[in-house]
Amino acid sequence: MTTHLVWFRNDLRITDNRALHAACEDPQAKVIAVFVATPKQWESHVMAPRQAAFIYQHLQALQASLSGRGIALFYHQCDDFAASQRWLKDFCQQQHVDTLFYNKQYEINERERDAALENALQESVITRSFDDSLLLPPGSVTTGEGTMYKVYTPFRRAFLERLAESDSRSLPAPKARDIDGDVTMHPLTPFDMPQQEIGDDFPVGEDAARERLRTFCRETVQDYLEQRDLPAVDGTSSLSPYLATGVLSPRQCFNRLRTECPEVLDRRDGGAFGWLNELVWREFYRHLLVAWPTLCKHQPFIAWTDNVRWRHAPQDLQAWKEGKTGYPIVDAAMRQLNATGWMHNRLRMIVASFLVKDLLIDWREGERYFMSQLLDGDLAANNGGWQWGASTGTDAAPYFRIFNPTTQGERFDKAGRFIKAWVPELTDVPEKHIHQPHQWAEKLHRVLDYPTPVIDHSHARKDTLAAFESAKRGS
Ligand code: FAD
């Protein structure tokens, strides 16, 4: 009997999983699965403990789903990628594995690990890898010269043309396999990492993720363009933690969207298309990461921006992390991140701009801090978002575009509903003063138990423009 091994990584689902589906195609084969945890590696590459906890919960759910289909999930924990690669080689030998199936990861260290393992297995085990975590594989959407696009809009145009022609159907979960006896439930031990609570905003399981997707595409997506920038409204899908860990696939998102809004690829002005556009941004950043692997090493896309003389300001950085900058919208956003591991996209843009363009602190400090907290931490999207906000990335905001944190708050959280939910010190401040509470308190001679602004925005703006201009001149 041939043995097929499915190596799960960040694809923790049984529905629409290309590697799993391929491994199960032969009804005669024995199919087993494995997950190898590498907590030290994850920690050194800054995975948030709460994301690790989210993965662990989904691993338990995955083991139960697989066993219901006659597939045993083995589990091993070791320090890093090198150790995992050695262990997997021995495991394949012990289990007499004929073919190893896995879905590709595109980050540089992961790609090097996979290449090394394939090399080590060369003579003994066939390996089959799949493009699964994207709608279209990296390298498949290119300019006339065959290179990756550096600008988003032409990328999207070419991407959508290819998408319309491609087979993006979702695959069903495998059928239960015919096996003798019960499947062994190999014990799963919690990852050897600091523990962090996850709230109940993101229920566990593929079913919960699919239900959220269905409800969003039925009830909310039509209003996406009007609501997506308002943090006090549930106007976005909140699916990012599921997509980042592979509990949900982008094909499932696209197909559900097409089922509910069949005109999505033809009518390019409504909410459905607006949401698809965000899924395409997700693809853009991953395609960029493969074309420019230095992004994985946190190098700026625009080389001269490395000459910007960032401030060394540990106290300001700490105030930003803790949500104590004295700018209500920034503080509310950071407190939401610290408490839940999730932050609204508009707020990610505001706090990134504030750290880089008000405090003039190196964007990599923010990128790293986000990864240490986010439930949806994803190297490509996070690096893309930070490089966009810091004006160091390709097709990023120009360096002279500097958000004013007060007017951003006024535009997107006018009545301060979101602010009040996260900054209880401001509960009594009237709506129209919520974005500048100290001015209100001063007039009324009231004492506010809330920090005064760490920096004056208009001065900071001038200093930042000067720092970028000087870096550009020096390049
Ligand atoms: P929706 O608006 O419902 O969008 C649907 C999906 O599209 C998201 O779940 C996500 O997978 C993808 N998406 C949406 N916007 C973007 C975008 N701008 N770039 C890439 N993909 C996008 N997203 C992450 O998944 N992980 C990160 O680590 C991450 N870090 C970010 C850091 C900064 C500074 C910025 C500005 C953005 C970052 N984003 C990141 C992108 C975006 O903020 C989140 O994907 C989004 O807020 C998740 O909420 P949602 O699921 O409700 O999104």
Side-chain angles (χ1 to χ4, degrees):
M1 183 191 275
T2 50
T3 301
H4 290 174
L5 172 65
V6 186
W7 177 17
F8 281 90
R9 297 109 69 90
N10 70 338
D11 51 350
L12 303 178
R13 63 179 188 283
I14 61 163
T15 313
D16 192 34
N17 184 320
R18 288 190 167 169
L20 176 65
H21 191 268
C24 293
E25 264 170 350
D26 175 0
Q28 307 303 325
K30 175 182 174 192
V31 180
I32 54 174
V34 69
F35 183 89
V36 185
T38 50
K40 284 228 167 63
Q41 178 99 19
W42 295 342
E43 272 190 89
S44 68
H45 289 81
V46 201
M47 179 192 281
R50 56 161 67 90
Q51 188 180 52
F54 190 70
I55 290 173
Y56 185 70
Q57 287 181 342
H58 280 90
L59 201 55
Q60 291 173 313
L62 179 71
Q63 189 176 49
S65 313
L66 286 171
S67 94
R69 282 164 170 80
I71 301 170
L73 177 77
F74 290 76
Y75 172 76
H76 178 68
Q77 185 163 179
C78 54
D79 283 353
D80 55 18
F81 283 175
S84 72
Q85 180 216 315
R86 286 193 297 274
W87 183 85
L88 275 161
K89 186 175 178 229
D90 292 346
F91 181 74
C92 286
Q93 220 164 26
Q94 278 160 24
Q95 299 292 326
H96 308 291
V97 171
D98 297 286
T99 310
L100 171 70
F101 296 76
Y102 67 87
N103 291 316
K104 291 179 193 165
Q105 290 182 289
Y106 302 115
E107 296 84 355
I108 189 83
N109 292 331
E110 280 75 354
R111 284 165 61 192
E112 284 174 4
R113 172 201 58 194
D114 296 348
L117 180 65
E118 291 214 3
N119 206 22
L121 292 177
Q122 223 172 35
E123 269 150 36
S124 46
V125 179
I126 299 167
T127 49
R128 290 185 59 194
S129 58
F130 300 82
D131 287 295
D132 176 75
S133 70
L134 288 168
L135 289 167
L136 295 174
S140 66
V141 182
T142 51
T143 63
E145 283 81 53
T147 54
M148 171 58 190
Y149 288 92
K150 291 185 183 169
V151 179
Y152 175 71
T153 310
F155 171 83
R156 184 182 72 185
R157 198 176 308 123
F159 182 94
L160 292 174
E161 269 171 30
R162 286 228 47 197
L163 184 65
E165 296 158 3
S166 75
D167 179 6
S168 48
R169 276 173 301 180
S170 301
L171 301 167
K175 292 199 183 84
R177 305 190 72 76
D178 204 3
I179 54 158
D180 292 334
D182 289 337
V183 169
T184 312
M185 295 295 270
H186 299 281
L188 303 176
T189 45
F191 305 146
D192 193 8
M193 277 177 85
Q195 300 300 308
Q196 200 174 12
E197 286 290 309
I198 323 176
D200 18 325
D201 292 345
F202 297 95
V204 180
E206 288 179 55
D207 290 349
R210 282 205 305 273
E211 184 49 39
R212 179 169 291 196
L213 170 66
R214 197 171 12 243
T215 309
F216 174 77
C217 290
R218 276 194 190 149
E219 296 172 10
T220 314
V221 82
Q222 291 79 359
D223 301 322
Y224 185 71
L225 292 182
E226 293 77 37
Q227 300 194 337
R228 62 179 293 248
D229 274 320
L230 307 175
V233 174
D234 281 337
T236 68
S237 70
S238 302
L239 285 169
S240 49
Y242 301 104
L243 279 161
T245 51
V247 174
L248 194 68
S249 78
R251 286 179 302 280
Q252 289 173 303
C253 293
F254 176 55
N255 288 321
R256 175 50 58 187
L257 185 65
R258 253 201 313 203
T259 304
E260 301 298 338
C261 312
E263 78 296 352
V264 60
L265 284 178
D266 308 320
R267 281 206 50 204
R268 301 201 168 183
D269 52 0
F273 186 73
W275 195 61
L276 177 60
N277 187 43
E278 295 310 315
L279 294 176
V280 182
W281 270 107
R282 177 179 177 276
E283 304 267 325
F284 181 59
Y285 286 139
R286 288 196 177 199
H287 285 228
L288 279 176
L289 204 67
V290 176
W292 283 278
T294 51
L295 294 175
C296 295
K297 307 277 183 202
H298 315 283
Q299 287 180 16
F301 200 93
I302 303 176
W304 66 258
T305 60
D306 230 5
N307 300 334
V308 172
R309 293 189 56 188
W310 305 109
R311 281 172 70 230
H312 175 66
Q315 283 183 348
D316 289 352
L317 176 61
Q318 195 56 27
W320 177 82
K321 287 181 181 173
E322 289 178 12
K324 293 184 179 166
T325 66
Y327 283 91
I329 194 71
V330 173
D331 294 342
M334 293 306 291
R335 293 182 196 190
Q336 179 188 37
L337 173 68
N338 294 335
T340 69
W342 190 83
M343 194 196 285
H344 191 281
N345 182 59
R346 168 57 52 182
L347 301 177
R348 296 187 204 211
M349 289 158 68
I350 295 174
V351 302
S353 176
F354 187 81
L355 183 78
V356 179
K357 306 248 178 103
D358 279 82
L359 299 180
L360 197 55
I361 289 177
D362 191 333
W363 57 275
R364 282 161 283 220
E365 293 281 1
E367 183 194 21
R368 194 177 166 81
Y369 187 67
F370 263 35
M371 286 307 271
S372 77
Q373 297 299 319
L374 281 172
L375 207 48
D376 65 20
D378 171 83
L379 197 156
N382 195 45
N383 181 273
W386 275 97
Q387 294 226 37
W388 185 90
S391 306
T392 61
T394 184
D395 206 11
Y399 72 86
F400 45 81
R401 182 168 168 208
I402 298 183
F403 283 171
N404 177 325
T406 307
T407 50
Q408 285 287 310
E410 287 163 358
R411 265 181 81 186
F412 299 111
D413 188 34
K414 197 165 188 304
R417 265 177 56 209
F418 180 80
I419 291 173
K420 289 196 178 185
W422 289 101
V423 188
E425 303 97 291
L426 301 179
T427 308
D428 296 335
V429 180
E431 265 179 29
K432 66 177 190 184
H433 299 288
I434 191 74
H435 301 286
Q436 288 179 304
H438 288 290
Q439 288 187 359
W440 167 79
E442 221 171 273
K443 253 192 222 151
L444 298 185
H445 305 291
R446 286 183 63 152
V447 179
L448 262 189
D449 181 22
Y450 177 66
T452 50
V454 283
I455 206 153
D456 173 79
H457 172 69
S458 53
H459 286 143
R461 187 174 184 283
K462 284 191 196 121
D463 291 348
T464 297
L465 286 175
F468 271 81
E469 273 153 18
S470 153
K472 196 170 182 192
R473 272 198 307 276
S475 64

